[in-house]
Amino acid sequence: MSSSRPTTIPELIETFDALGDWEAQCDYLIDLGYDVPEFPAAERTEANKVHGCQSNVWLITHTRPGDPPKIEIQAESDSMIVQGLIAVLLIAYSGKSAQEILDTDIEQIFSRLGLNRQLSSARRNGLAGMVRRIRSIAEQSLAEAS
Amino acid sequence: MVASSETASPVGQSNSFDVAKVRAQFPIFDRPLPNGQPLIYLDSAASAQKPHSVIDKERECYERYYANAYRGDYQFGVHIDEELESTRGKVRDLIGATQSEEILFTSGTTMSINLVANAWGRKFLQAGDEILLTQMEHHANLVPWQQVAHATGASVRYIPLTSDWRLDLDRLDEVLTDRTRLVAVSGMSNVLGTVPPIREIAAAARKRGALVLVDGAQSVPHLATNVHDLDIDFLTFSAHKLYGPSGVGVLWGRRRLLEAMDPFLCGGHMISEVFWDHSTWAALPAKFEAGTLPIAQAVAMGAAVDFVNGLGLPAIHTHDADLTAYAHERLASVVGLRIFGPEPAEKGPIVSFAIDGIHPQDLANLIDRKGVAVRHGHHCTMPLHSLLGVPATTRASFGVYTTRGDIDVLVDAIEFARKKLRRA
């Protein structure tokens, strides 16, 4: 399965449905996490840390010029399951415009993937922390553009 | 993954008591988990499972003689009071106290410590006074003292740990001073398992005129405790870690101290007389038992004490020591695993560890698939974890129903998790 990773949320949902149970889906999340591009070591700073996670999570963004500009996200966690969740967030958000990010109904995606049901409240809080960080970067980017 | 569990000692092999028979008294083990795996419960330090006798006692109370306590002059009212006093007497005997009036029912260890911090601390501490804790205290025996220190101008100091996670009593004189008014120390660390020499600490505190509080949440269920032999002033513990109900616990304190203290919670039952402009306090223990008690839970706590006495704390200790030594031995075979705590002979049945490259949260998630329940995180000891050098650990802790086979399953489950996380 590792040969073709999903690049869109509908593809990811299709794969999750095919896997069927949470154990297989969780294993798949771990696999996805291993394919997340390496995070630059120099960026593992306190300022880039996302709080609210039990594990360490670092997250940075770059804006790729264009009309509208696209926001590229890089992130990393020392928890492999969280790294898998980062992979999901990258599929949902990375390379999108600020407006597209703000328009994404991430709760609906988590719920469709069954993550709300399977993740502990600590994991859900951590995930919410990452979503807040990404959305605030998008909001800031829109405000700067206007 | 079953290979080593099949070669493990059978359930029931113990020098102390027949573990299979003990385990059979705990209905939680009667059925598998929702995923079909048998329950491997290694989180007794967080809360212990309950034997039939405790569950039955709580049920009996509700079914046969339930009423509010210390209020009704009717038949059930009298009966419930007798049951509660019976529990009070059992608790008194369990900890070697001499007076039932010194046994206060609280909601648990946290409330017991808050009670002393507020009712004693706020009345008697002054600016410049010192409260001495240890570097391994649970937040429940740390944050209340910080708060009372802020309120009174007192300061909090800490007995340091050695590199092998014992209290460094060679450095006790650096932190125990003539300004120390109270030493509050855990009887057994909830992370390291370390069992400090309470008698020695109490003797040193006594020389400086300081009081001694022991947080017995972890130690009372595992070690015979005698408050007079130890020469301490306050002891706190929770029923739920002693195979009893949640929501109830104990504060024991010396009568003269309890009498000198102000009430902590005010309300019904704790008063002698109430006037428009002031009130006077009831005698002990009522003075510190405002409001309606966790009645059925306190009654069933007596059954929990009977259960523990039935096995005998020396036998429980033998069982614990065997499991702890076995766990250290088996976990040592896991590559990259580090145990945080002293050698098995110097600790209780608590084994906290970290594995290089594996996040404790991932480990807990993955071994749960094999039915293994462990705790992960900072275990309410964030300052201690700053000394451990890791933000979180995984903790396996044992009870009277724990077997060597459970530890084998834990080790197999860790190997399973390592493979899943590509760390094998």
Side-chain angles (χ1 to χ4, degrees):
Chain A
M1 220 180 297
S2 61
S3 52
S4 64
R5 293 291 187 216
T7 54
T8 66
I9 289 296
E11 282 171 29
L12 181 64
I13 288 171
E14 196 179 322
T15 309
F16 257 60
D17 286 350
L19 289 167
D21 69 24
W22 168 245
E23 288 193 5
Q25 291 163 349
C26 182
D27 289 351
Y28 184 66
L29 275 180
I30 294 169
D31 288 345
L32 283 181
Y34 269 100
D35 291 348
V36 168
E38 204 170 322
F39 190 83
E43 300 286 1
R44 287 188 199 121
T45 62
E46 193 55 38
N48 291 334
K49 249 188 182 176
V50 179
H51 293 281
C53 304
Q54 274 197 352
S55 55
N56 287 313
V57 172
W58 294 273
L59 188 147
I60 53 171
T61 57
H62 298 284
T63 306
R64 184 155 40 89
D67 188 25
K70 308 284 190 187
I71 297 175
E72 303 283 355
I73 302 167
Q74 282 181 286
E76 181 184 59
S77 171
D78 52 358
S79 153
M80 287 318 300
I81 295 175
V82 174
Q83 187 78 355
L85 298 172
I86 286 172
V88 174
L89 290 179
L90 296 190
I91 294 170
Y93 286 134
S94 193
K96 303 274 171 69
S97 71
Q99 192 58 55
E100 284 172 316
I101 286 173
L102 293 175
D103 289 345
T104 301
D105 185 350
I106 199 77
E107 280 306 316
Q108 198 265 332
I109 294 170
F110 292 157
S111 145
R112 181 64 186 78
L113 291 170
L115 297 177
N116 299 16
R117 218 170 42 250
Q118 298 296 347
L119 298 177
S120 67
S121 61
R123 294 260 201 222
R124 285 200 304 272
N125 289 341
L127 198 52
M130 286 189 272
V131 168
R132 268 197 308 277
R133 173 71 69 96
I134 293 169
R135 287 182 62 91
S136 81
I137 290 167
E139 278 163 7
Q140 213 179 325
S141 163
L142 274 187
E144 281 166 10
S146 63
Chain B
M1 106 102 206
V2 256
S4 60
S5 352
E6 283 168 358
T7 56
S9 345
V11 167
Q13 201 166 74
S14 168
N15 299 326
S16 45
F17 45 76
D18 186 335
V19 183
K21 278 192 184 151
V22 170
R23 200 175 169 95
Q25 296 177 48
F26 287 78
I28 199 88
F29 298 111
D30 290 352
R31 53 188 68 76
L33 291 164
N35 76 349
Q37 297 284 340
L39 169 64
I40 308 296
Y41 189 73
L42 299 177
D43 201 16
S44 293
S47 203
Q49 298 296 343
K50 316 305 172 198
H52 274 298
S53 60
V54 168
I55 299 167
D56 291 348
K57 189 69 187 179
E58 194 170 331
R59 173 181 288 271
E60 174 195 284
C61 173
Y62 282 130
E63 288 183 349
R64 302 207 189 151
Y65 45 80
Y66 181 76
N68 209 330
Y70 306 119
R71 286 154 173 81
D73 258 338
Y74 40 87
Q75 291 171 58
F76 282 1
V78 173
H79 191 155
I80 203 85
D81 294 357
E82 285 170 358
E83 291 285 345
L84 285 166
E85 287 316 300
S86 161
T87 291
R88 213 184 287 277
K90 287 171 184 178
V91 168
R92 175 199 63 211
D93 297 344
L94 177 74
I95 61 170
T98 50
Q99 301 179 38
S100 289
E101 295 80 6
E102 293 179 333
I103 305 294
L104 314 182
F105 293 141
T106 65
S107 66
T109 301
T110 297
M111 179 175 159
S112 297
I113 296 172
N114 275 275
L115 194 163
V116 179
N118 286 280
W120 177 82
R122 285 178 191 258
K123 184 165 183 184
F124 293 108
L125 287 172
Q126 296 172 4
D129 288 345
E130 294 174 359
I131 303 155
L132 182 59
L133 312 178
T134 80
Q135 287 182 333
M136 63 181 191
E137 294 312 310
H138 187 285
H139 295 165
N141 196 32
L142 196 163
V143 183
W145 301 113
Q146 283 179 338
Q147 288 297 96
V148 75
H150 290 157
T152 59
S155 57
V156 176
R157 303 188 73 176
Y158 298 93
I159 302 175
L161 294 170
T162 62
S163 58
D164 60 347
W165 311 115
R166 292 173 299 111
L167 290 188
D168 193 348
L169 294 185
D170 291 343
R171 295 175 60 193
L172 187 59
D173 285 342
E174 294 172 24
V175 284
L176 178 65
T177 73
D178 289 334
R179 312 190 97 174
T180 308
R181 300 291 311 280
L182 179 125
V183 181
V185 55
S186 167
M188 180 188 293
S189 159
N190 71 310
V191 175
L192 305 169
T194 305
V195 177
I198 298 295
R199 195 179 285 115
E200 190 183 328
I201 294 167
R206 197 66 75 209
K207 278 189 195 148
R208 302 282 187 164
L211 300 177
V212 178
L213 176 144
V214 172
D215 167 2
Q218 298 296 344
S219 59
V220 167
H222 294 283
L223 301 169
T225 304
N226 183 301
V227 293
H228 292 295
D229 283 355
L230 294 172
D231 194 23
I232 60 176
D233 300 289
F234 298 103
L235 175 73
T236 66
F237 65 95
S238 301
H240 73 96
K241 294 190 207 287
L242 189 78
Y243 311 100
S246 57
V248 66
V250 169
L251 169 65
W252 168 83
R254 288 184 188 272
R255 180 189 278 272
R256 65 176 169 77
L257 295 171
L258 296 176
E259 284 178 342
M261 283 153 59
D262 283 338
F264 174 45
L265 297 179
C266 300
H269 187 59
M270 52 74 68
I271 48 83
S272 171
E273 289 183 284
V274 177
F275 305 94
W276 292 115
D277 59 347
H278 76 286
S279 302
T280 58
W281 315 132
L284 297 174
K287 175 181 167 186
F288 292 102
E289 291 182 352
T292 292
L293 289 170
I295 297 165
Q297 290 71 24
V299 168
M301 175 162 62
V305 173
D306 288 342
F307 171 78
V308 166
N309 284 333
L311 296 174
L313 280 158
I316 291 174
H317 180 64
T318 304
H319 168 82
D320 289 344
D322 175 69
L323 289 173
T324 307
Y326 187 67
H328 273 236
E329 180 192 317
R330 289 298 323 270
L331 289 168
S333 72
V334 177
V335 178
L337 186 146
R338 280 177 298 155
I339 292 173
F340 296 99
E343 288 307 303
E346 300 199 41
K347 69 189 275 194
I350 291 172
V351 185
S352 295
F353 57 87
I355 305 175
D356 291 341
I358 297 186
H359 195 278
Q361 200 177 6
D362 290 350
L363 182 70
N365 275 182
L366 288 166
I367 68 177
D368 172 57
R369 289 193 202 173
K370 300 296 180 189
V372 180
V374 293
R375 175 88 180 266
H376 72 277
H378 54 63
H379 316 297
C380 304
T381 57
M382 289 171 98
L384 172 62
H385 273 73
S386 72
L387 297 177
L388 302 184
V390 289
T393 51
T394 302
R395 179 184 72 186
S397 56
F398 315 134
V400 293
Y401 34 68
T402 308
T403 66
R404 283 182 168 217
D406 290 343
I407 292 164
D408 292 328
V409 177
L410 167 68
V411 172
D412 291 341
I414 291 171
E415 292 301 342
F416 164 81
R418 282 161 54 86
K419 286 194 189 83
K420 286 284 175 196
L421 294 165
R422 303 192 199 172
R423 294 286 193 252

Short mmCIF file of all heavy atoms in Angstrom, two decimals, chain B residues 202-233:
data_model
loop_
_atom_site.label_atom_id
_atom_site.label_comp_id
_atom_site.label_asym_id
_atom_site.label_seq_id
_atom_site.Cartn_x
_atom_site.Cartn_y
_atom_site.Cartn_z
N ALA B 202 11.29 11.30 60.24
CA ALA B 202 10.46 11.84 61.33
C ALA B 202 11.32 12.18 62.54
O ALA B 202 11.11 13.20 63.20
CB ALA B 202 9.37 10.83 61.70
N ALA B 203 12.32 11.34 62.83
CA ALA B 203 13.19 11.60 63.98
C ALA B 203 13.98 12.88 63.76
O ALA B 203 14.12 13.71 64.68
CB ALA B 203 14.13 10.42 64.20
N ALA B 204 14.47 13.08 62.55
CA ALA B 204 15.22 14.30 62.24
C ALA B 204 14.32 15.52 62.32
O ALA B 204 14.72 16.58 62.83
CB ALA B 204 15.84 14.18 60.85
N ALA B 205 13.08 15.37 61.83
CA ALA B 205 12.13 16.48 61.87
C ALA B 205 11.81 16.84 63.32
O ALA B 205 11.73 18.02 63.69
CB ALA B 205 10.85 16.10 61.12
N ARG B 206 11.62 15.80 64.13
CA ARG B 206 11.27 16.00 65.54
C ARG B 206 12.33 16.84 66.24
O ARG B 206 12.02 17.73 67.03
CB ARG B 206 11.14 14.61 66.19
CG ARG B 206 10.41 14.58 67.50
CD ARG B 206 8.94 14.95 67.40
NE ARG B 206 8.10 13.91 66.84
CZ ARG B 206 6.97 14.16 66.17
NH1 ARG B 206 6.57 15.39 65.97
NH2 ARG B 206 6.25 13.19 65.70
N LYS B 207 13.60 16.58 65.92
CA LYS B 207 14.71 17.33 66.56
C LYS B 207 14.62 18.82 66.25
O LYS B 207 15.10 19.65 67.02
CB LYS B 207 16.06 16.79 66.05
CG LYS B 207 16.50 15.54 66.79
CD LYS B 207 17.93 15.17 66.40
CE LYS B 207 18.23 13.75 66.84
NZ LYS B 207 19.17 13.08 65.93
N ARG B 208 14.05 19.11 65.06
CA ARG B 208 13.93 20.53 64.69
C ARG B 208 12.57 21.09 65.10
O ARG B 208 12.24 22.23 64.75
CB ARG B 208 14.06 20.68 63.16
CG ARG B 208 15.34 20.14 62.61
CD ARG B 208 16.48 21.10 62.85
NE ARG B 208 17.68 20.64 62.15
CZ ARG B 208 18.74 21.40 61.91
NH1 ARG B 208 18.73 22.65 62.32
NH2 ARG B 208 19.78 20.92 61.29
N GLY B 209 11.77 20.28 65.74
CA GLY B 209 10.45 20.73 66.16
C GLY B 209 9.43 20.79 65.04
O GLY B 209 8.40 21.47 65.15
N ALA B 210 9.70 20.08 63.94
CA ALA B 210 8.77 20.11 62.81
C ALA B 210 7.79 18.94 62.88
O ALA B 210 8.12 17.87 63.40
CB ALA B 210 9.54 20.04 61.50
N LEU B 211 6.60 19.15 62.35
CA LEU B 211 5.61 18.08 62.25
C LEU B 211 5.89 17.26 60.99
O LEU B 211 6.58 17.73 60.09
CB LEU B 211 4.20 18.68 62.15
CG LEU B 211 3.74 19.54 63.33
CD1 LEU B 211 2.35 20.12 63.04
CD2 LEU B 211 3.74 18.75 64.63
N VAL B 212 5.31 16.06 60.95
CA VAL B 212 5.53 15.19 59.79
C VAL B 212 4.20 14.68 59.27
O VAL B 212 3.39 14.11 60.03
CB VAL B 212 6.42 13.98 60.17
CG1 VAL B 212 6.59 13.06 58.95
CG2 VAL B 212 7.77 14.45 60.68
N LEU B 213 3.96 14.91 57.98
CA LEU B 213 2.79 14.35 57.30
C LEU B 213 3.28 13.31 56.29
O LEU B 213 4.21 13.58 55.53
CB LEU B 213 2.02 15.46 56.57
CG LEU B 213 0.80 15.00 55.74
CD1 LEU B 213 -0.32 16.05 55.82
CD2 LEU B 213 1.14 14.74 54.27
N VAL B 214 2.66 12.15 56.31
CA VAL B 214 2.99 11.13 55.31
C VAL B 214 1.81 10.97 54.36
O VAL B 214 0.68 10.71 54.79
CB VAL B 214 3.36 9.79 55.97
CG1 VAL B 214 3.51 8.69 54.92
CG2 VAL B 214 4.65 9.93 56.77
N ASP B 215 2.11 11.15 53.06
CA ASP B 215 1.12 10.87 52.02
C ASP B 215 1.19 9.36 51.76
O ASP B 215 2.10 8.87 51.09
CB ASP B 215 1.49 11.67 50.76
CG ASP B 215 0.71 11.22 49.52
OD1 ASP B 215 -0.14 10.30 49.65
OD2 ASP B 215 0.95 11.77 48.44
N GLY B 216 0.22 8.66 52.34
CA GLY B 216 0.24 7.20 52.27
C GLY B 216 -0.58 6.62 51.13
O GLY B 216 -0.89 5.42 51.14
N ALA B 217 -0.92 7.45 50.14
CA ALA B 217 -1.79 6.97 49.05
C ALA B 217 -1.25 5.69 48.44
O ALA B 217 -2.00 4.74 48.21
CB ALA B 217 -1.94 8.06 47.98
N GLN B 218 0.06 5.64 48.18
CA GLN B 218 0.65 4.44 47.58
C GLN B 218 1.14 3.45 48.63
O GLN B 218 1.16 2.25 48.38
CB GLN B 218 1.83 4.83 46.66
CG GLN B 218 1.46 5.72 45.49
CD GLN B 218 0.52 5.05 44.50
OE1 GLN B 218 0.32 3.84 44.48
NE2 GLN B 218 -0.12 5.86 43.67
N SER B 219 1.57 3.94 49.78
CA SER B 219 2.22 3.04 50.74
C SER B 219 1.23 2.25 51.58
O SER B 219 1.46 1.06 51.84
CB SER B 219 3.18 3.82 51.64
OG SER B 219 2.51 4.84 52.35
N VAL B 220 0.14 2.87 52.01
CA VAL B 220 -0.79 2.16 52.92
C VAL B 220 -1.33 0.86 52.31
O VAL B 220 -1.44 -0.14 53.02
CB VAL B 220 -1.92 3.12 53.39
CG1 VAL B 220 -3.05 2.35 54.06
CG2 VAL B 220 -1.35 4.17 54.34
N PRO B 221 -1.63 0.80 51.00
CA PRO B 221 -2.12 -0.47 50.44
C PRO B 221 -1.04 -1.56 50.35
O PRO B 221 -1.38 -2.71 50.10
CB PRO B 221 -2.59 -0.09 49.03
CG PRO B 221 -2.78 1.38 49.06
CD PRO B 221 -1.77 1.90 50.02
N HIS B 222 0.22 -1.19 50.52
CA HIS B 222 1.30 -2.16 50.27
C HIS B 222 2.20 -2.45 51.45
O HIS B 222 2.88 -3.47 51.47
CB HIS B 222 2.15 -1.68 49.09
CG HIS B 222 1.40 -1.66 47.79
ND1 HIS B 222 1.14 -2.80 47.07
CD2 HIS B 222 0.81 -0.65 47.11
CE1 HIS B 222 0.44 -2.49 45.99
NE2 HIS B 222 0.22 -1.19 46.00
N LEU B 223 2.27 -1.53 52.39
CA LEU B 223 3.22 -1.69 53.49
C LEU B 223 2.49 -1.52 54.82
O LEU B 223 1.67 -0.61 54.97
CB LEU B 223 4.32 -0.62 53.40
CG LEU B 223 5.15 -0.60 52.11
CD1 LEU B 223 6.00 0.66 52.06
CD2 LEU B 223 6.03 -1.85 52.04
N ALA B 224 2.81 -2.38 55.78
CA ALA B 224 2.23 -2.22 57.11
C ALA B 224 2.63 -0.85 57.64
O ALA B 224 3.79 -0.45 57.55
CB ALA B 224 2.74 -3.33 58.02
N THR B 225 1.66 -0.12 58.15
CA THR B 225 1.90 1.26 58.60
C THR B 225 1.45 1.40 60.04
O THR B 225 0.32 1.01 60.38
CB THR B 225 1.09 2.24 57.72
OG1 THR B 225 1.43 2.02 56.35
CG2 THR B 225 1.37 3.69 58.08
N ASN B 226 2.32 1.95 60.87
CA ASN B 226 1.94 2.21 62.26
C ASN B 226 2.36 3.63 62.60
O ASN B 226 3.56 3.93 62.70
CB ASN B 226 2.62 1.20 63.20
CG ASN B 226 2.17 1.41 64.64
OD1 ASN B 226 2.35 2.49 65.20
ND2 ASN B 226 1.58 0.39 65.23
N VAL B 227 1.37 4.49 62.75
CA VAL B 227 1.66 5.93 62.89
C VAL B 227 2.47 6.23 64.15
O VAL B 227 3.26 7.18 64.17
CB VAL B 227 0.36 6.77 62.87
CG1 VAL B 227 -0.29 6.70 61.50
CG2 VAL B 227 -0.61 6.35 63.97
N HIS B 228 2.29 5.41 65.19
CA HIS B 228 3.03 5.68 66.43
C HIS B 228 4.45 5.15 66.35
O HIS B 228 5.38 5.80 66.82
CB HIS B 228 2.26 5.15 67.63
CG HIS B 228 1.00 5.93 67.86
ND1 HIS B 228 1.00 7.26 68.23
CD2 HIS B 228 -0.31 5.60 67.71
CE1 HIS B 228 -0.25 7.71 68.32
NE2 HIS B 228 -1.07 6.71 68.00
N ASP B 229 4.63 3.97 65.74
CA ASP B 229 6.01 3.48 65.52
C ASP B 229 6.80 4.44 64.65
O ASP B 229 7.98 4.66 64.87
CB ASP B 229 5.99 2.11 64.82
CG ASP B 229 5.63 0.99 65.80
OD1 ASP B 229 5.50 1.29 67.00
OD2 ASP B 229 5.47 -0.16 65.33
N LEU B 230 6.13 4.97 63.62
CA LEU B 230 6.82 5.89 62.71
C LEU B 230 7.04 7.25 63.37
O LEU B 230 7.89 8.02 62.94
CB LEU B 230 6.01 6.07 61.42
CG LEU B 230 5.88 4.84 60.52
CD1 LEU B 230 4.90 5.12 59.37
CD2 LEU B 230 7.24 4.43 59.95
N ASP B 231 6.23 7.54 64.40
CA ASP B 231 6.27 8.82 65.11
C ASP B 231 6.00 9.99 64.16
O ASP B 231 6.75 10.95 64.08
CB ASP B 231 7.61 9.00 65.83
CG ASP B 231 7.54 10.14 66.84
OD1 ASP B 231 6.42 10.46 67.29
OD2 ASP B 231 8.59 10.73 67.15
N ILE B 232 4.87 9.87 63.45
CA ILE B 232 4.45 10.94 62.54
C ILE B 232 3.23 11.65 63.12
O ILE B 232 2.69 11.22 64.15
CB ILE B 232 4.16 10.40 61.12
CG1 ILE B 232 3.02 9.36 61.16
CG2 ILE B 232 5.43 9.80 60.52
CD1 ILE B 232 2.61 8.85 59.78
N ASP B 233 2.80 12.72 62.46
CA ASP B 233 1.70 13.53 62.98
C ASP B 233 0.43 13.46 62.15
O ASP B 233 -0.67 13.64 62.67
CB ASP B 233 2.16 14.99 63.09
CG ASP B 233 3.34 15.11 64.02
OD1 ASP B 233 3.16 14.95 65.24
OD2 ASP B 233 4.47 15.30 63.52
#
